[in-house]
Amino acid sequence: MLDLLACVRATEQAANVPGLTHEHLKVLDACRADGDTDSVTVGDVVTAVPYSLLVARILLSDLIESGAVVHRLTVVTGEPPSPETLQRFHRALTNWDVSDPASGKPGRAG
């Protein structure tokens, strides 16, 4: 299971991996870091693609197994977030409107 804070990055051999689906290519594109960073988090990828967390993690796992993406865990040090911060984050996620890509109908995250 990929942690949301794990860092991922598309590799040079990503272009040579045969059999990638359209969905894999969307996730792979989200794994390409911009000029300021060399990797992105799994959480960044999940928010950039129109798939559920589970589907995005499965697609990422496929890409890692194929060598198109590399990953590493991020070690977080310091103080844990305050309960107030976690509650605000939870409220934001609960209220986050998403659309069903198949129907285009609005829905709720989670």
Side-chain angles (χ1 to χ4, degrees), residues 9-94:
R9 178 180 47 84
T11 65
E12 295 292 326
Q13 77 180 58
N16 300 325
V17 175
L20 295 181
T21 66
H22 177 71
E23 291 80 8
H24 284 108
L25 294 174
K26 279 189 176 231
V27 172
L28 182 60
D29 189 48
C31 293
R32 298 185 198 286
D34 61 25
D36 295 336
T37 60
D38 68 344
S39 61
V40 295
T41 66
V42 171
D44 293 330
V45 172
V46 169
T47 59
V49 296
Y51 312 121
S52 69
L53 174 60
L54 178 61
V55 170
R57 280 181 168 163
I58 291 169
L59 292 168
L60 265 172
S61 294
D62 292 346
L63 291 168
I64 290 167
E65 285 181 27
S66 73
V69 170
V70 293
H71 80 290
R72 63 182 164 81
L73 295 178
T74 301
V75 178
V76 179
T77 60
E79 293 296 316
S82 70
E84 294 79 22
T85 300
L86 292 174
Q87 287 172 347
R88 283 196 321 260
F89 183 69
H90 180 261
R91 276 195 304 274
L93 286 177
T94 303

